[in-house]
Amino acid sequence: MESAFVIETIIKILVVLGLFSALAGFATYVERKVLAFMQRRLGPMHVGPWGLLQVLADGIKLFTKEDFIPQGANRIIFMIAPVITAASAFIAMAAIPMFPEFTIGGYTVRPIISDINVGLLFVLGVMAIGLYGPLLAGMASGNKWSLLGAARTAVQFLSYEVVTGLSVLAPVMIVGSLSLIDFNNYQAGGISNWLVWKQPVAFILFLIAGFAETNRTPFDLLEHEAEVISGYATEYSGMRWGMFFIGEYANMFTIGFLASLIFLGGFNDLGFIPGAIAILLKVFFFIFLFIWARASWPHIRPDQLMWLCWKVLMPIAVINVVITGIVMMF
Amino acid sequence: MGSKVYFSTWKDEFIDNRGKPREEWAESNYNFPVQYNADIESKAFIGWAGLALFDEDVDVIKLATEYAYQYQVYSEACGRCAPGRWGGRILYDLFDKIARGEGEWGDVEHLKEVSSTMIETSKCEIGKTVPKPLLDVLNYFEDEIRELIEQKRPSKYYNDENINYISKVTAPCMDACPSHVDIPAYIEGVRDLRFDYSVQATRKTMPLAHTCGRVCPHPCEDECRRANLDEPISIMELKRVGADFETDHGLFWLHPKEPKPLNGKKVAIVGAGPAGLTGAYYLAMEGVASDVYDELPVLGGEVAVGVPEFRMPVDKYNVDIGAVGSLEGVNFITGKRVTADDMREFEKNYDAILIATGTRISKKIRAKNEREEIRGYWPAINFLDCINLYVKYGIPAPKEILEKNNLPTDKPYVDLTGKTVVCVGGGFTSLDVVRCAVRANADKVVMLYRRDEATIIKNTTYEEYHEAVEEGVEFIFYSAVEEIITDENDNLKALKINRFELVPDPDGGRPQLKKIEGADFVMECDILVPAVSQSADLSHLPPEWEIELTSWGTIKTDGKTYMSSRKGVFAAGDCEYGPMTIVNAVGQAKRAASVMSRYVQSGEITLTDEEIMEDHLRSLKVYDKKEKIRGWMPGLPRQKGEILSVEERKHSYLEVNLGLTQEQAVAEAERCMRCYYIAMVAV
Amino acid sequence: MVKFYIDGKEVVANRGETILQVARREGIYIPTMCYLSKVKPIESCRLCVVEVEGVEGFVLSCQTPATPDARITTDSKELYEHRQNIMKLYDVNHPLECGVCDKSGECDLQNKNLEFRVDSQEFSARDQYRPIQDWNYLQYDPSLCILCEKCVHVCNEVIGDDAIEIEYGGYKSRIIPKDAETLDCTWCGECVAVCPVGAFISKDFKYSANAWELDRIPAACAHCSASCHLYYETKHSSIENPEPKIYRVKNEFEFETLCGAGRFGFDFENREAKKDEEAFKRAIEAFKRADTIKFTSFITNEEALLLQKMKERFGYRLVNDEARAYQRFLENFSQYSGKSLYTPSLYDIEDSDFIILMGSFISSDNPAVRYAMTVSQKRHRSEIVNFHPVEDDLLKPVVTKFVKHEVGSEEAALSMLVDILCDEDAKKRAGKEWLESFDIGYLSAESNIGEEEIEDILKRLKMKKRRGAKRFTLILGEDLYTHPRAENLAKLAGLVDRFSEFDVMLIPPKTNTLGVALICDLDEEEGEFSIGYNQKGDFTLSALGDGDLDMPALNQQEGTFTNIDRRVVPTNVALPYEGYVLNDIAKELGVSDKEYTIEYTKELPKEKGYKEIEFDELDNEFLNDGTEKRGYELEIKKVNLSRKNIEPIEELPEFNGTVIYRCEPVLQFSPFTNKAHQLRTKGKLYASETFLNDLGLKEGDKVNIQKDNITISIEVERDGFIASGAYLGRFDKNIDTESLFKDYRFTEVKIQKV
Amino acid sequence: MNGLEQFKDRNVSQNYYRVKIEPYPKTPWERFKRVVRRSLRLELFVGLKITLMEMLRFKIHTIQYPKEKLPISPRYRAVHKLLRLLESGNERCIGCGLCEKICISNCIRIDTRPDENGRKIPTEYTINFGRCIFCGYCAEVCPELAIVHGQDYEHASEQRAQFALKEDMLTPLDKLKEQKEYPGFGAPTPAADKLIKKTPLAY
C-alpha cells in the first residue's frame, strides 16, 4: 500500500510535471494563434502543419541556446532564481485535484498528488514563494532594468497576494474547508450550486488578482519592454529563461484550476459533460480569457496597478468578507 | 518700252488683268522678256522684285516651285548662311509639296514664317529677295493654292515637261560689267581671306584678273547698290587683291576649273590683245585649240604697248598672259602681221576665225594743215608704243621715228627733255600720253580738251585725272586746235587754238559747244599728239569676203553672237565695237568664244540660255537707283589705297597705285552687300 | 577711337573694331554661332544681328565697324524672334543624337536652342545620305555639321594648311578636303577644337567620355617652347580602374591655337613610377659619386633652379648641349643688341608686316611661330621671306619668298641681310675686318643666294614701307645656334636688332631652353661619372620610364616654363605621380629645404628678369577680349655693349655628297610625343621625292646611314611636305641620331640601300 | 482642378473625420463620474467583443511572403533593369551618360566606346546599390527607355559587388521574349503614344 502510494505519487508528479510543461508550451502556441486571429493574422505557420511544431522548435531552441551568465551577476543566485519560479509553480499544483477520481484496472486513482486539508492555503502559499524567483533573478542580474523589474515583481505580487487571499476568504467561509476537494464537492449540485453565484465579487476579485499574480496583461508590468526591457529576465537566455516562462504558464494553469474549482463547480459533471472534460473546458476558458484580455486591453501604469489593488480591490474584498460573514451569521 | 502683261507685281507696280480679255490688258512699265527668243515666246517672268505673267495659262504654283528650286540650284554656289541654306530648302520642299497636291494649310503658314526670317536675316540679297515673289504667289493666288490643298491634286502643269524654266543669277554690278564678272564672289573671296577663290571667281569670266584689277574703268562701280547707302565698293581694286595673291605665293595658275580635254578643233585668233587672249582662254577651257597671231613682237596688244608701265606693270600683265598660255592648246605666234592671204588660208585650215585686231589707227584731230608728215606730229598709238616698248620690254624706239619727231637718237628711249608736248583728247589714251610725256621728262605737257573737267572725269576716272594734274599736266578745257603751224622744214612750231563755251539748248537738249569769237590763241609746241580716237585697221580682211562694216568702220555683228556677216568669222573687241575698254573687249570675246566653241562642234550659231538671259536682264536693268537699302549700316567709308608720291612717280615708271592694304581690302570687301538676284523665265 | 552706345552704355571702339568685338570686350552679350575671335567674321549664322537707331532692318554686328554715336540695341522682341527662327532653321534635320554625340553638354547648338527656347521643330526638309568621313585622327559627320565654317576659316587663316574647304551646294554643302581625296594636313586638330557641334571630333576620344564627366586641369603644353595654354581633361580610366587618365586636350580656341602634338600627344606620363627606395638610395649614391649632370630642357624652371643649386653646392658640371648653344648665342646677341633678351613675341609676329625667317624648319620646330606667321600673312598680307636649305611646302601658302641657300651658308645669308637691312652705323660697328671680308659676289656664289634675290627682298621691303608697314621681324632658329660660326651669327643678329627696324626673335629650340639658359650655369665638358636627367648618363633619371630612377613627366609636375614669348607660364599636375621627384633627391642631398618644388618659383633669379611671385599667384587664363593673362613676362635688361669688332666672314663650309637634316616630322617633338599612344610611330628617314629619286630609293626601303664609324639602319619614308632634302628625327629613342649630329643640324652621310 | 494644382491638395482621402476628445476630468468628482460612465458602458467588454468578433470572423490579412506576394505598383522603384530592343535584341543603352550625370547619389558609372559599326555602346555599366537611393531619376531621364526600375525588390546578396554589374541588370538574350515593354518606373505608360508630339517629318 505504501509503496503503491509512493509509486502512484511519483507517477502523478511526473505526469503533472510533464503534462504541464507540455501544456505550457502548447499554451504559447495557442496564445500566439489566438492573438494572431484576433489581430487578423495567422500566427506561426511554417513549422509543421499550421505551425504546430513551432512549440517543439522553440523548445529545441531554448534547450540548445547558450547558457549565458553576465559578468557582474551573482552566479549562484542567478542560476537558482529561475528554478525557484518553475519549482514553486509546479509544487503548487501538488494540492490541486485536477479531475474526478477514476479507475484504471481496478485501481482507483485520485488525480491529486496530495490531498491535504489545507490545500488552498498550500497552493496560495507556494505560489507566493514563486515571488522569490523573479525577485532574486532581478537582484542577481547586476542590471538596473532587472533590478527595477525585480522591485516591481515584489510590489505587484505581494500586493495582489492580499487581494487573492481576501477574495478566497469568503468562499472558504461558506464552504468551511480549505481542501479543494471539499470545494468541489460543495458545488456538486449543478450549475446553480456554483459558488460564483454566491460570491460573484470574490470571483471577480480573484480573477483580477489572478491576472496580476500571473503577470499577464493588463498587469504585465514586470517585463514591460518599453520601460524595463525584459525586467528581471533581461539577462536570461536559453533554458533559464525558459524556466521563468514555463513557471508563468504553469501558474496560469494553476490559477485556471483554482478558479474552476473554487467558483465554477470544479470537476463535477456538467449535465451530460463528464466532470473531467468540464473542468478542462473551464480551465481552458480561463486560459483563453487570459489570452483574450491580452489581445484586447492595454496594460496599465504601475501607479494605477497599486491604486487598483489597495484602494479598490482590497477594500472591496474586505467588504465582501464582512458582508459574507454578516450573511452567514443570519 | 513696256509690254502687255496679264499680271505683274514687279517692283512697285501691281497690274492685275485677270478676267479681262487680252486686248484690254494694261501695260507694264518694265521691259520684260516677253519674247524669249526669236521664235519662242515666254509665258512668265519671275525674279527678285516680283513676278509677271504674260499668259493666262500659267501654272503659278509650279512657277513658284521652280523658282524656289532655282534658288536651291544657285545657292549651290553658296549655302553659307543658316537662313538661306535651310530656309531655301524649306521653301522649295513646301512649295513642291503643295504643287504635288500633298500640301496642308500649315505649310502655307510655315512658308510665310520662313520667308520673313529669310528676308530679314539672309546673308546676301538672293536670300532676301527670293521669298518676295513667292509671297506674292501666296498672297494673290490663294484661291489656286486652296484648290490644290483641298482637292489634293497636283497643279495643272506639274508634270508637263514641255515647259522650260530658265533662270539666271545676276547682280547689279555683274549686270553692269560687260564681261559679267561674278563680282560678289570674288569680293567674298577677299573677305574670307580666300584669295585663291577670289581669283578663280574672276577668271570664270575674265582671264585678265591682274589687268582688270588695275586699268578697268569699272562701270560696275557706277551701279553698285552700296551707292544707295553711302559710297560704292571699290570693286576694281578688290579684283587685284586676289590676283596679287597668286603671284605673291607663286601659285601658278589658279584656273576656275579644269579645262576640258582638247577636242581636236582649232581656231585662229588674229590679235593677242585682251579680246584675243580672252577668246583663246575660254576656247581652251572648252577644249578648243587656238593659234593666236599678233603683229607686235610682244603679247598683250594695246594693253601691253599702249597702257603705260606706271598704270599697268607689264610683269603683272604677263601673269595674265601666262595664265592664258598655260592652257593646253593655246599657241602664240608673235611678230606676224596677218594679211588677206593669210586669212584665206586660215579659213581653210581652221574651224573658225576670231578677229580681235583692235583699233590701232589714231584718228586725226581735223585741224588745218594736219598731215602725217609734219615733224612733231606723233599719233598717240605710235607715241605710246615707242615709249612703252622700251620701258616694258627694253625694245628701243625706232630711230627714224625719233628722228622724225626731232628727238635725240643717241638714246634708245624717247627723251622729251626740253620739249613742249600738246595732246589733244580726253580719254584714257590721252591721259596715258600726257603722263608718259611727263615721265619722258618733257618740259611742259598740255592737254587740250573740247569739254569740261566733269566730262573728262566721267570718261576716265577721278583718280587718274587728279594724278595727272598732280604730276603737272596742264589742262585746257573747251578748246580745240584750229590750225597746225609749221616752219619751213615742216617742223611743228605752234598751234592755233579755238576756245568754246557751253550754251544750253533752249529746247532742253544737250548743251551745245559754241566757239568764243576772238578768244583764239596760239601756243608754241614741239610735239602734238592727237589722241581723240582710234579706228580699226581692217586691211587684212579679204575684200571678196564682203564682210559688213558699221558706219564707224568696224566689223558688224549682231552684238549677241559676235559673228560677222561671214559664217565662221567672228569679231570681238575694239575692232567690233570701236575703241572701248578692256573689259568690254573681254566680255565680247568671252561670248564669242562661247558661241565659237559650239559652232566648231555643231556648225550652228547658238546662244546658251544663260547668255540669252544675260541680255534680257541687261535690257530690264538690274540696278535700281531709287531702291532703299535695309539691314546695312551706312556711313562706312570707301577705302582708298596708297599711291606713290608725286615726286617719286614723276620720274619713274613705278606703278602709281599701290593698291589696298590687306586691312583696307578686307574692310572694303565687308561693305559688299552681295546683291545677287535670281530671275527666271518660263517658256 | 569711335564713341557709340550699346544698349545705352557708352563704349569706345578702337580703329576697325566691330560692334561685336566692342560688346564682347565690354561684357555685353550678343549671341553668335559662327563667330570666332581669332579669325575674320564668318557671317554665316546671322544670329548677331542688332538694331541700330535710324537704320532700317537689322545690322550684322560681327562685321560692321561702329560708326560714331550709333545707338545700338542688342536685344528686342523682333530680334529674339528672328534669332529663334534661325535656331529653328539650324535644327532642320539636325540628327537627334545628342545622347551619343561627343559634344553634348558643351554644344553651342544645344545652348542656343535652350537660350531661344526652341523645343520643337515644326518643319523639315527631305533628308539625304551623308556618310561619316574618316580622316586619320579626325572624323567628320556632315549631317551634324551646321556649316558655321569656323574650321575652314581657322585652317586657312590661322594654321595655314588650308586643307579643308566647303563644298558649296546650298543645303547639300559640306566640308571636304581641299583639292584632295582624303584629308592630308598637319593634324593640328584645331577644327575639332572650334567645331561648335559634334561634326568634327577626335577619333581617339570618340564615345569614350562625356564633356561633363571630365575634370579640367589648366596647364601649359610641354612639347615645344611655345608652351601653349591648354587643359588636360581627366577622368578615371574605367569602372575597374579608378586611376585618372587624360582623355583629351582642350584649348582656349577663341584666342589660342594648338598644334597636333599638343592636342593628340597628351599621354606621355610616366606610368610605371613607384617609390622604389632601393633605386632612390642608388640614386643618392650616384649623386655623391657624380661630377656631371646631363639633362635636356624638358624640365621646369624650378627643376633647373634645383640643378643650379646642386651645382653651386657640389660643383657638378651641368651639361645641356642644346641649351648651352642657345645660351651662348643669346649672350653674344645681347652684347651687340644691348638687350638681355630678344623682344618680339608671337603676338608681335602676328602683327608684323615683314618677316624674315632663317635657320628653322618652322612647321615642325615651332608650329606656334608658323601659325603666327600665317596670321600675319592673312591679316596684313605681310611679306615672309624664308631662308633655308630645305624647301618646306607646308609654308607655301604663307611664305612669299623662299630663298634656298647652300647648307652651312647661314653666315653669308645673315651678312647679306645686315648689308641690306642696316645702315652704315651697323657696318662701322661690325668693324673693318668684317667689312673687308664681305664680298657679295663670293658670298652669293658660294651660298647660292642670288644677288637679285636679295634685291628682290629689298624691293619688297621698300614696297611694304611705302604701304605704311610698321613692324619687321627677323626670326632665327636652331640651325644658327648649332652652327660652327654661331658666335658670329649671334653678333650679326645683334647688329640687325640694334641698327635696323627689324626686331630679332631667337626661337628656343626646346620646351624650356630659354629658362634653362637663363637659370643654369651650363658647362661644356662632361666629367667622369655623369647623371643623366631625361638623357643617357652613367646613372639615368628618366621621365620616360626607362632609366635607373623614375622621374615625373611634365604632365605630372607643377611648375613654370619660360616660353618663347619670354613669359613665365605655370603648368599643373594632370595625373598623379607616385615616385620620387628631383626635389626629393635635393632634399636628401641637403640642397633643398622645401617640401614642394613649386616653392622655388619665387626664387628664380631676379637678375635674369624673373620676378618674386609665388607659384599660386600666377594667373593662367585669357580675358574676354583675348588678353593673355598667364604668368608674367620676363623683364628685359640693358646689357653693356661689346666693343669688339665682329670677326671676318670665314670661308663658307662646303657640304658635298648626301646631306641630311635633323628635325622632327610634323606631330613629333621628342620621345615624349612619341610616347603618346596616338602619335606613336617608328623613327624613319624622311625624304623628299627628289631626294629619293637622286638616290634611287623607294618608300619603305631600308638603308644604312653611315658617318665616320657609325652606322644606323633605318627605313625610308617619303615626306610630301618637303620639296627637297631629307631629315632624321630624334623622337624615336631607339634610334641613336645623337651621334650623327654632333653640332650642326646638317650632316654629311653616306646612305646605302640594304 | 487642372494642371499641377491637383497635386497640391494633400487631402487624398475624403473619409477622414475628427475624433471628439472629451475634456479631461479635473476634480475627483468628475473622475468618479468618468469611471461610472465608462463602467456602465462596459467599455472593457466592448474591447473584448471586438477582438473576439475579429477572431470569429477570421478575416486573415496575412500574406504568406515569400510563398505569396502582393502585386507591386508599376511605379515601384526596385532594382534597375537594363532593357534590350525587342526586335533585334541589341542593347537599348546608347551610353549617353545622362543617368550618370543626373544621379544624385553619384552611383552610376558607364564605360563607353564605339563598336565596330561606329555606334556608341556601353562596354560596362554599374550602379553601386550600396549608394543608390532608388530615386528613379536615372530611369526618368533615360532617353532610350533603356534603364528602368524593375519589380525585383529582393536584392539580397552576400557581397556588395555582386549586384552592381551590367550582366545582372541587362535582359539576358534568351529572356528577350519575356521582357515586358512596360515593366517599371521610367518606362512610358501604355497610353504614351497619345501624349507624344509628332515630329513633322513630311518625308
Side-chain angles (χ1 to χ4, degrees), chain B residues 306-315 383-384 386-392 413-416 432-442 471 644 646-657, chain C residues 466:
Chain B
V307 181
E309 174 77 2
F310 58 86
R311 237 166 37 97
M312 182 60 234
V314 72
D315 50 343
F383 176 83
L384 289 171
C386 289
I387 289 187
N388 289 327
L389 277 174
Y390 180 76
V391 170
K392 291 185 177 179
Y413 53 88
V414 177
D415 183 8
L416 296 173
D432 288 345
V433 167
V434 289
R435 293 180 73 187
C436 278
V438 169
R439 283 165 180 76
N441 210 16
E471 285 163 15
L644 275 186
V646 178
E647 277 317 306
E648 216 168 344
R649 71 188 191 231
K650 242 174 114 169
H651 303 294
S652 72
Y653 286 94
L654 285 178
E655 190 178 9
V656 173
N657 188 354
Chain C
R466 274 196 207 108

Side-chain angles (χ1 to χ4, degrees), chain B residues 76 80-82 85 93 117 121 191 193-194 196-197 248-249 628 631 648 658 662-663 666, chain C residues 40-41 43-44 46 56 58 85 126 146 149 156 162 165 168 178 378-381 397 466-467:
Chain B
E76 301 213 344
R80 300 190 58 186
C81 68
R85 181 167 55 242
D93 275 1
T117 295
T121 58
R191 201 194 62 81
L193 306 180
R194 291 199 156 268
D196 44 348
Y197 290 2
D248 278 353
H249 295 271
K628 268 198 119 179
E648 216 168 344
L658 298 173
Q662 192 91 325
E663 290 87 339
V666 172
Chain C
K40 292 295 311 164
E43 300 176 24
S44 75
R46 324 301 289 178
E56 257 186 77
F58 302 139
N85 276 342
R126 197 193 300 262
I146 58 164
E149 299 184 37
N156 175 33
D162 201 5
E165 65 177 347
Y168 296 127
K178 193 172 176 183
K378 294 288 176 182
R379 242 179 246 166
H380 313 297
R381 210 190 307 157
R466 274 196 207 108
R467 281 193 181 144

Side-chain angles (χ1 to χ4, degrees), chain C residues 192-256:
Chain C
V192 177
V194 300
C195 187
V197 291
F200 262 111
I201 48 164
S202 147
K203 210 158 83 185
D204 176 65
F205 177 70
K206 188 182 186 187
Y207 295 166
S208 63
N210 291 308
W212 56 80
E213 296 172 80
L214 297 162
D215 291 326
R216 276 193 159 194
I217 293 143
C221 180
H223 292 317
C224 83
S225 57
S227 296
C228 303
H229 181 258
L230 53 72
Y231 296 100
Y232 290 115
E233 297 211 322
T234 63
K235 197 184 93 166
H236 55 83
S237 302
S238 70
I239 288 171
E240 279 83 25
N241 183 3
E243 283 290 305
K245 175 181 135 183
I246 301 176
Y247 276 73
R248 64 171 169 185
V249 157
K250 296 211 88 182
N251 62 330
E252 294 278 5
F253 58 83
E254 287 274 356
F255 315 117
E256 212 222 21

Side-chain angles (χ1 to χ4, degrees), chain C residues 171-433:
Chain C
Y171 175 66
K172 292 201 290 284
S173 311
R174 61 188 180 127
I175 311 283
I176 51 167
K178 193 172 176 183
D179 306 327
E181 278 296 301
T182 181
L183 190 61
D184 185 22
C185 63
T186 56
W187 307 112
C188 63
E190 197 64 13
C191 42
V192 177
V194 300
C195 187
V197 291
F200 262 111
I201 48 164
S202 147
K203 210 158 83 185
D204 176 65
F205 177 70
K206 188 182 186 187
Y207 295 166
S208 63
N210 291 308
W212 56 80
E213 296 172 80
L214 297 162
D215 291 326
R216 276 193 159 194
I217 293 143
C221 180
H223 292 317
C224 83
S225 57
S227 296
C228 303
H229 181 258
L230 53 72
Y231 296 100
Y232 290 115
E233 297 211 322
T234 63
K235 197 184 93 166
H236 55 83
S237 302
S238 70
I239 288 171
E240 279 83 25
N241 183 3
E243 283 290 305
K245 175 181 135 183
I246 301 176
Y247 276 73
R248 64 171 169 185
V249 157
K250 296 211 88 182
N251 62 330
E252 294 278 5
F253 58 83
E254 287 274 356
F255 315 117
E256 212 222 21
T257 312
L258 272 190
C259 71
R263 190 177 313 278
F264 300 117
F266 47 76
D267 52 342
F268 53 91
E269 71 274 4
N270 190 354
R271 295 178 194 91
E272 284 83 33
K274 291 274 160 334
K275 279 221 181 229
D276 181 352
E277 284 181 34
E278 279 305 306
F280 186 66
K281 263 182 215 153
R282 280 200 307 270
I284 296 298
E285 270 162 35
F287 265 94
K288 286 186 177 144
R289 244 183 88 194
D291 55 359
T292 305
I293 300 176
K294 282 162 66 180
F295 64 105
T296 62
S297 302
F298 291 105
I299 61 171
T300 60
N301 289 331
E302 289 73 13
E303 284 182 298
L305 184 64
L306 274 174
L307 292 176
Q308 176 64 15
K309 281 183 184 278
M310 285 186 192
K311 173 180 181 151
E312 281 160 17
R313 176 81 169 267
F314 299 112
Y316 294 126
R317 298 180 192 179
L318 296 182
V319 176
N320 180 341
D321 292 338
E322 140 269 327
R324 172 74 186 143
Y326 186 77
Q327 191 177 45
R328 286 179 50 185
F329 198 91
L330 189 61
E331 274 165 17
N332 283 316
F333 170 80
S334 304
Q335 284 175 7
Y336 284 79
S337 70
K339 294 173 223 157
S340 65
L341 283 166
Y342 57 89
T343 45
S345 66
L346 292 177
Y347 295 106
D348 294 327
I349 296 179
E350 286 181 5
D351 284 340
S352 291
D353 301 290
F354 202 103
I355 297 169
I356 300 175
L357 173 67
M358 188 187 290
S360 178
F361 194 74
I362 205 71
S363 24
S364 83
D365 278 3
N366 201 317
V369 174
R370 177 182 161 218
Y371 301 156
M373 292 200 309
T374 308
V375 169
S376 82
Q377 212 316 295
K378 294 288 176 182
R379 242 179 246 166
H380 313 297
R381 210 190 307 157
S382 60
E383 292 284 353
I384 298 176
V385 182
N386 183 16
F387 284 85
H388 208 266
V390 181
E391 275 170 70
D392 183 0
D393 275 357
L394 276 175
L395 291 180
K396 209 161 179 195
V398 176
V399 164
T400 52
K401 180 155 188 72
F402 175 69
V403 182
K404 184 174 174 174
H405 61 79
E406 286 296 317
V407 172
S409 54
E410 282 86 352
E411 193 177 7
L414 200 54
S415 300
M416 284 161 145
L417 283 182
V418 169
D419 182 45
I420 57 164
L421 302 179
C422 302
D423 48 19
E424 285 307 309
D425 287 351
K427 287 167 199 162
K428 222 182 279 167
R429 183 69 276 284
K432 218 172 76 201
E433 298 91 334

